[in-house]
Amino acid sequence: MEKTKDKRREKISVATEIDRLEERRARCQDNLERAEFRSRKEKLSEKERQELIDEMAIMNERVQQLDNELKMLRGENRRNMLLSVALLAISALFYYLFYFEEDL
């Protein structure tokens, strides 16, 4: 199962993966805010309150994991951008050298 996920992710661009993770993080954050609002506004039994606190802890962990994944993907995206700019600069340099050197 993990290998098929990895193969599917290899075909997805880094920017698409970043967008997907940001959407998941926003949903988790919304759920966390709803749970916090519920814990403040509703009168819950001790058991319900503990379950809600446990659920909020799980959501906080998930948000932190998504933040770490986003940080890693943004770093990878930055490296890809720098590589693209470097290749463009090298290509422009070669074009300039070969095209304008013939004129001299």
Side-chain angles (χ1 to χ4, degrees):
M1 184 75 175
E2 278 299 314
K3 289 186 178 185
T4 57
K5 263 187 174 178
D6 291 340
K7 286 181 182 179
R8 236 183 292 134
R9 282 188 179 177
E10 286 177 5
K11 295 178 183 178
I12 297 174
S13 72
V14 175
T16 304
E17 186 72 12
I18 288 172
D19 290 341
R20 187 182 67 80
L21 286 177
E22 284 177 343
E23 289 173 9
R24 285 177 58 194
R25 186 190 180 284
R27 283 194 308 262
C28 281
Q29 194 68 35
D30 288 342
N31 290 339
L32 183 61
E33 288 173 5
R34 270 191 235 113
E36 287 175 349
F37 179 79
R38 183 175 172 221
S39 72
R40 285 191 313 266
K41 295 296 179 182
E42 292 183 16
K43 292 185 179 183
L44 302 171
S45 68
E46 198 59 39
K47 181 181 177 185
E48 291 173 328
R49 187 169 301 282
Q50 187 59 44
E51 288 175 357
L52 193 58
I53 290 171
D54 293 342
E55 184 180 334
M56 288 168 48
I58 291 169
M59 284 189 268
N60 274 328
E61 288 176 19
R62 186 65 188 146
V63 167
Q64 288 175 352
Q65 287 175 349
L66 290 170
D67 284 341
N68 289 337
E69 288 181 44
L70 281 168
K71 184 178 178 181
M72 179 193 66
L73 285 172
R74 286 181 179 134
E76 186 176 332
N77 197 31
R78 201 173 299 117
R79 281 192 305 272
N80 289 344
M81 187 266 313
L82 288 173
L83 180 62
S84 297
V85 169
L87 288 173
L88 179 66
I90 290 171
S91 298
L93 178 66
F94 280 130
Y95 176 78
Y96 176 78
L97 288 175
F98 289 120
Y99 185 73
F100 288 110
E101 288 296 320
E102 291 176 358
D103 291 340
L104 295 179

